[in-house]
Amino acid sequence: MLRDRRDESAVIDRLLEDARAGRSGALLVRGEAGIGKTALLEDVIASASDVTLLRAVGVESERELAFGALHQLCGPVLDRLDRIPGPQRDALATTFGLSAGAVPDRLLVSLATLSLLSEVAEDRPVLGVVDDAQWLDRASAQALVFVARRLLAESVVILFAVREPSQEFTGVPELLVEGLEGDDARAVLASAIPGRLDERVAEQLLTETRGNPLALLELPRELSPAQLAGGFALPGAVSVPGRIEERFTQRFRALSPDARRLLVVAAADPTGDPALVWRAAERLSITSVALEGVETAGLVEIGARVRFRHPLARSAVYQSASAEERRRAHRALAGGTDAEVDPDRRAWHLAEATAGPDERVAADLARAAGRAQARGGFAAAAAFLERATALTLEPRRRAERALAAAQAKYEAGALDDALTLLAEVSAHSDRQSAHVALLRAEIAFAARRGSDAPPLLLKAARALEAVDAELARATFLEAFVAARFAGRLARGTGVLEVSELALAGPPRPPRPRPPDLLLAGLATLATEGYATGAPLLKRALRAFRSENVLRPQDARWLALACWAAADLWDEETWTLLTTRELERARETGALTAMPLALSQLSYIHISSGELATAVSLLDEIRAAADATGTPPQPYIALQIAALRGREEEFLELSDTTANDAVPRGEGFAVFVTEHLSAVLYNGLGRYDAATTALRGHALDPFYTDGSVGTMVELIEAAVRSGEPRLAERALSRLAEATQAGGTDWALGLEARSRALLSEGEAADALYREAIERLGRTRQRVQLARAHLVYGEWLRRQRRRADAREQLRIAFQQFTAMGTDAFAGRAERALSATGEHVRKRSVETRDELTAQEARVARLAGDGLSNAEIGARLFISRHTVAYHLRKVFAKLNVSSRNQLAGVMGERVEAEPLAG
């Protein structure tokens, strides 16, 4: 009988009632070992006969086997896989070894799990119970916590039972289970002791066990009649779980040798498969007679499943056995495991059965690591390789496996563990030394994106020159990116130094790949300027465009190619490559690559004046960042805030950005903030502030690379601030780049900038050229700004009618785009010509939550519920739930009405947070 758990049971019962009503929930049931978490969960299960029950149990020895617990939970419902979207279905099938395929994106596996449980819940509510969740393998824990955090309208409840607080489960509501009190504790104690119990002993037991039910049941069994009659009960120095484990250990040691061996086999096998346990027992010549002693001890039940009395009992048995006894048990389990059906677990048992170096077992582990990586289990691969390293005697091969283990740790995101393994690598060749240096550098860049990464990557690139020319060139590209991120905060290794050494490094192959051309173009542009570098960079961009399907090692540089296209004002290539990468990510389910692709697309929409679309994409980026646990880049929100003219919001975002980036040496954040500050203040008409923000970009040698785009803002600000010489200097730098770019976008900006420094007919002609050229592009913001500065110039020339025409166009365009700062500036200029401007009012409506607004925007764009769910990492049922609320709040009746309504709303929404 479950005692004194009425409050806890009521909490879980409410979750189940909500699930029956179509509302999901998750709960972390936390308490020390033996406190009754499992009993509470079993009681809930017994009372929920109308639900689909899915169970998993974390086992300490299986923590390194990726997705093992997730497979255990989802196994009974894998026949519903055909109900979920194709990429998600393929991801789960590959992860669980049901089919072969490319390594699935870990985020897609999590989303697929959410979709699967959601579809199963269509038939009846789902109750997922995960006991001993502190021992889940990392991949399963991440997937299940992902699901728990996104449950809303799926009729699914997930219960986790853990012993201690853990960062892994942050965001999951918690229920603390504590010891029994009063009569309930006394009743449990009395049930464990036949006959009368001395009151003083009872009080001592209740006090020392703190009402822990397992302790109240187990500890008195080891007390002598004299102790129960009034002697001292328990020593006070050991923790309650420790005392329980001691009692289990004493019980284990009292058994016969065969019974002990049988128990050790059962403890060493995490699957709970009685057939496997008996096959292993036969190999150790253990007969079924031993089972009687085992059952009498009350430590384990071997029936349809192998179930230990408590995880502490399993731990006590396994830890009490000698090292040789454990090795014999694992050897027997390996012999009883089918090498075709479960080769990875067999390899793990063989490793645990091996005391010293053994190349055969190490090779098996290395092959198991390869299979784990093919399923996306980098943590498991790292564990296999780490153990293989320990079993490898030959020094060179040992170093290779240690390096591979470190690489797998890096891929799994365990950066500190990767560094620890690298410290143990004794390189036996220049190639190994170079790869060690490269991995150290990549870890540094992944961890901080700061100023320490460029010199490390550059050193690795130079070390690779003699042993792997292709990888050396790729590493130079990594160093280039890292140097750009470090910017003026770089510690002695900037873009110029990286570029010079890259050009002096391995020559391009006879048939260069797109990344080879990209490196040559970027490095030449940095060292020799746009006139020489731009043609090479254009060739690289043509190479990227010509290959619809890039090799994985080439595709990783698409983002850098997009960056280069924007630097050359090549909007066609920029848009094509960005769209292609985003489509590839969505089609293949490469969800972790999506934030970067979405960011690139956001910049395109912003420059096109499509702020509402950019805000919608920002929602997707934040959802992806939240799902992956990585912070989103702040630059999109900064750019939108600058164009809207929201100074307070912009300053808040920029302060947060600087406080995070500057200490780690990410100078790129400083560069972007200064650039966008100038955009903000030019829009607000505060030209001195804009000039101050960018003065260093024209004068400071640290800004020679990557700052040409800022010259457009500086020229306008400097001219209006009465600093024409500074503006002329900026124009000289701009013109070199725009002439090399040669596009209407580039030449239109140059014409507008020259017009600001010109007079009379020359200025008039340049303004008209700028409008004509920019009118042939998608650069609507820059086009509207050309109309604005032309109109302002015409007003100063006292050509009021012409000025009104240009300013009216600018005002209408800025207003339609939601670029409020520039719209206000156009409005003030129009008023100065004597024209009255009618301000537009935006209808106010009931407030939507952030998630409702995201769903509404995507629905307004024509996406289906399943497509919205995939982009926002929620189930289609949750999408439908949000849409019902959106329709009610906005008083609309169809998805077709949402596009216009959400276009109006986006202007008023803050971007911070």
Side-chain angles (χ1 to χ4, degrees):
M1 178 181 178
L2 192 67
R3 291 185 173 275
D4 194 29
R5 297 298 184 215
R6 290 175 291 277
D7 292 343
E8 293 89 342
S9 295
V11 171
I12 300 176
D13 287 342
R14 282 195 295 272
L15 286 177
L16 288 171
E17 286 303 313
D18 285 346
R20 294 180 181 108
R23 296 184 298 275
S24 299
L27 190 66
L28 187 71
V29 182
R30 181 169 68 83
E32 68 177 12
I35 206 66
K37 302 184 297 296
T38 300
L40 178 62
L41 296 180
E42 293 292 346
D43 186 68
V44 170
I45 291 168
S47 65
S49 58
D50 60 331
V51 305
T52 297
L53 175 64
L54 303 175
R55 303 189 69 165
V57 179
V59 179
E60 193 169 11
S61 60
E62 291 244 309
R63 294 186 72 175
E64 303 298 344
L65 297 181
F67 296 112
L70 186 67
H71 193 186
Q72 190 183 149
L73 186 90
C74 296
V77 293
L78 290 180
D79 58 334
R80 322 288 177 87
L81 275 180
D82 59 348
R83 295 190 186 182
I84 67 176
Q88 298 179 26
R89 178 180 63 247
D90 295 342
L92 276 186
T94 303
T95 296
F96 295 153
L98 303 177
S99 64
V103 177
D105 185 292
R106 65 182 180 87
L107 185 55
L108 187 63
V109 173
S110 301
L111 182 58
T113 305
L114 175 61
S115 296
L116 177 63
L117 297 184
S118 176
E119 292 302 325
V120 173
E122 281 280 275
D123 301 330
R124 59 192 306 201
V126 170
L127 172 61
V129 177
V130 184
D131 206 353
D132 282 321
Q134 72 275 358
W135 289 331
L136 289 178
D137 63 272
R138 187 181 181 194
S140 294
Q142 288 176 340
L144 291 172
V145 171
F146 173 96
V147 172
R149 289 172 179 162
R150 282 158 185 79
L151 289 171
L152 180 62
E154 295 83 8
S155 294
V156 176
V157 172
I158 297 184
L159 305 177
F160 300 95
V162 298
R163 295 183 184 178
E164 301 292 339
S166 169
Q167 287 292 110
E168 199 82 62
F169 298 96
T170 300
V172 181
E174 183 177 294
L175 174 67
L176 180 62
V177 180
E178 298 181 297
L180 301 175
E181 296 181 350
D183 292 341
D184 290 298
R186 290 179 176 277
V188 171
L189 179 60
S191 71
I193 300 175
R196 186 176 178 82
L197 178 63
D198 184 274
E199 183 62 25
R200 290 170 300 173
V201 174
E203 286 297 332
Q204 187 177 0
L205 282 167
L206 291 170
T207 299
E208 292 183 349
T209 60
R210 300 188 303 278
N212 183 298
L214 185 62
L216 290 170
L217 289 170
E218 294 294 336
L219 299 186
R221 297 183 183 184
E222 306 302 330
L223 300 180
S224 67
Q227 288 175 314
L228 291 173
F232 291 102
L234 299 170
V238 185
S239 67
V240 170
R243 295 172 186 171
I244 299 171
E245 202 161 2
E246 281 182 8
R247 302 306 183 230
F248 286 147
T249 298
Q250 291 172 7
R251 213 175 300 172
F252 166 72
R253 288 174 176 165
L255 293 172
S256 67
D258 271 2
R260 287 199 305 271
R261 283 195 291 271
L262 180 59
L263 270 173
V264 176
V265 168
D269 167 47
T271 67
D273 180 1
L276 174 58
V277 168
W278 283 118
R279 287 198 299 271
E282 288 178 6
R283 290 175 173 272
L284 295 174
S285 302
I286 300 171
T287 66
S288 58
V289 176
L291 182 59
E292 296 178 9
V294 168
E295 291 178 336
T296 301
L299 294 174
V300 72
E301 297 175 4
I302 303 180
R305 302 293 299 166
V306 178
R307 296 186 62 182
F308 273 83
R309 172 79 174 84
H310 189 273
L312 288 176
R314 178 194 291 271
S315 175
V317 168
Y318 193 78
Q319 298 301 327
S320 298
S322 68
E324 180 55 33
E325 287 174 325
R326 290 197 293 269
R327 285 194 290 270
R328 280 201 299 266
H330 282 292
R331 192 174 300 113
L333 286 165
T337 300
D338 192 318
E340 296 295 325
V341 175
D342 201 352
D344 295 351
R345 190 168 277 111
R346 181 178 181 276
W348 190 257
H349 280 308
L350 282 173
E352 293 300 301
T354 305
D358 189 315
E359 178 54 31
R360 182 179 59 84
V361 175
D364 281 347
L365 286 169
R367 285 189 287 271
R371 289 188 293 269
Q373 284 182 312
R375 297 192 302 270
F378 289 106
F384 287 134
L385 288 166
E386 191 171 6
R387 185 72 177 115
T389 301
L391 297 178
T392 303
L393 188 60
E394 199 277 315
R396 183 181 296 269
R397 189 171 293 161
R398 181 183 178 91
E400 289 174 356
R401 286 170 176 163
L403 181 56
Q407 182 72 40
K409 289 283 189 182
Y410 166 68
E411 298 288 352
L415 303 185
D416 290 339
D417 291 345
L419 286 174
T420 299
L421 280 166
L422 281 179
E424 299 176 6
V425 176
S426 298
H428 289 268
S429 67
D430 292 341
R431 178 179 294 274
Q432 283 185 348
S433 296
H435 279 272
V436 168
L438 174 58
L439 187 51
R440 286 189 188 279
E442 289 177 328
I443 292 169
F445 189 49
R448 292 175 293 279
R449 288 192 179 274
S451 56
D452 57 342
L456 292 174
L457 285 164
L458 190 57
K459 180 181 178 182
R462 301 199 68 186
L464 285 163
E465 288 180 358
V467 295
D468 192 330
E470 182 178 4
L471 185 56
R473 289 191 294 272
T475 307
F476 275 120
L477 273 175
E478 287 191 69
F480 187 92
V481 173
R484 267 203 164 182
F485 266 99
R488 66 172 183 170
L489 300 181
R491 299 174 182 172
T493 303
V495 168
L496 184 60
E497 182 181 357
V498 172
S499 300
E500 290 172 343
L501 290 173
L503 292 172
R508 296 197 305 271
R511 293 186 177 182
R513 300 292 304 162
D516 299 323
L517 297 170
L518 183 62
L519 176 62
L522 289 171
T524 303
L525 189 146
T527 55
E528 300 184 39
Y530 272 84
T532 307
L536 292 172
L537 206 49
K538 289 177 181 179
R539 182 186 172 192
L541 294 177
R542 287 194 298 271
F544 273 102
R545 290 185 59 166
S546 67
E547 296 196 25
N548 290 324
V549 180
L550 291 163
R551 301 183 308 172
Q553 59 266 45
D554 293 348
R556 63 184 292 217
W557 301 113
L558 264 174
L560 187 57
C562 291
W563 195 347
D567 280 352
L568 289 177
W569 294 283
D570 181 355
E571 66 177 357
E572 182 182 351
T573 300
W574 187 22
T575 304
L576 186 147
L577 293 181
T578 298
T579 305
R580 183 186 293 171
E581 171 63 5
L582 185 58
E583 288 175 351
R584 183 198 68 81
R586 283 180 170 149
E587 288 173 3
T588 62
L591 301 185
T592 50
M594 283 177 58
L596 187 56
L598 287 168
S599 297
Q600 286 285 346
L601 190 59
S602 296
Y603 296 132
I604 292 172
H605 284 295
I606 290 170
S607 67
S608 302
E610 299 160 355
L611 298 195
T613 304
V615 170
S616 181
L617 290 173
L618 182 58
D619 292 335
E620 290 189 57
I621 293 167
R622 285 174 171 161
D626 176 64
T628 56
T630 56
Q633 289 187 1
Y635 307 125
I636 299 166
L638 272 170
Q639 191 168 0
I640 296 172
L643 286 170
R644 285 175 168 176
R646 298 182 180 179
E647 183 178 12
E648 183 177 346
E649 185 177 346
F650 178 87
L651 292 176
E652 179 184 345
L653 286 166
S654 60
D655 284 347
T656 302
T657 301
N659 291 339
D660 178 56
V662 172
R664 67 171 183 266
E666 187 182 319
F668 183 71
V670 179
F671 166 77
V672 172
T673 301
E674 290 172 344
H675 180 194
L676 295 178
S677 294
V679 173
L680 170 73
Y681 292 124
N682 274 338
L684 294 172
R686 291 161 56 183
Y687 306 112
D688 288 345
T691 302
T692 299
L694 291 183
R695 186 182 301 277
H697 288 236
L699 304 176
D700 192 329
F702 280 107
Y703 284 107
T704 54
D705 175 72
S707 63
V708 173
T710 68
M711 296 298 100
V712 175
E713 299 297 335
L714 179 57
I715 292 165
E716 183 172 338
V719 167
R720 293 298 174 83
S721 299
E723 298 193 46
R725 298 181 75 176
L726 179 62
E728 288 169 358
R729 183 167 183 167
L731 178 60
S732 176
R733 286 194 56 201
L734 176 68
E736 179 195 1
T738 51
Q739 290 296 314
T743 65
D744 278 324
W745 179 10
L747 298 176
L749 291 177
E750 182 187 339
R752 192 182 82 197
S753 300
R754 285 191 183 280
L756 288 165
L757 281 161
S758 303
E759 298 291 343
E761 292 183 4
D764 192 282
L766 286 166
Y767 280 126
R768 290 184 178 278
E769 179 188 348
I771 290 169
E772 181 183 354
R773 287 188 178 280
L774 292 170
R776 293 196 290 262
T777 73
R778 292 182 54 187
Q779 304 304 308
R780 291 174 57 210
V781 173
Q782 298 298 347
L783 174 62
R785 291 182 66 176
H787 284 292
L788 173 61
V789 292
Y790 186 27
E792 290 172 332
W793 181 81
L794 288 167
R795 184 179 66 81
R796 291 194 298 274
Q797 302 302 307
R798 301 185 184 279
R799 295 165 56 182
R800 289 196 172 189
D802 293 338
R804 285 173 186 162
E805 179 186 356
Q806 296 298 324
L807 293 171
R808 195 179 299 120
I809 293 171
F811 176 71
Q812 290 170 348
Q813 290 181 348
F814 286 133
T815 301
M817 291 184 289
T819 50
D820 297 339
F822 287 99
R825 182 173 143 189
E827 179 187 354
R828 291 191 297 274
L830 260 178
S831 297
T833 67
E835 179 164 324
H836 176 69
V837 181
R838 182 180 177 185
K839 293 185 177 180
R840 187 179 65 150
S841 62
V842 178
E843 183 180 356
T844 59
R845 301 181 183 273
D846 291 337
E847 284 301 315
L848 301 182
T849 67
Q851 189 75 318
E852 288 167 357
R854 293 165 183 162
V855 169
R857 288 193 196 101
L858 293 174
D861 289 340
L863 275 69
S864 69
N865 286 6
E867 290 170 330
I868 296 171
R871 293 197 183 185
L872 298 183
F873 311 100
I874 54 180
S875 76
R876 63 181 179 88
H877 303 289
T878 292
V879 173
Y881 169 83
H882 284 309
L883 279 177
R884 289 193 295 270
K885 298 181 73 175
V886 167
F887 283 8
K889 288 184 177 184
L890 299 185
N891 194 26
V892 298
S893 57
S894 73
R895 301 165 86 98
N896 294 334
Q897 296 172 273
L898 288 174
V901 174
M902 295 310 297
E904 294 176 357
R905 290 181 56 84
V906 74
E907 298 179 21
E909 294 179 10
L911 294 167

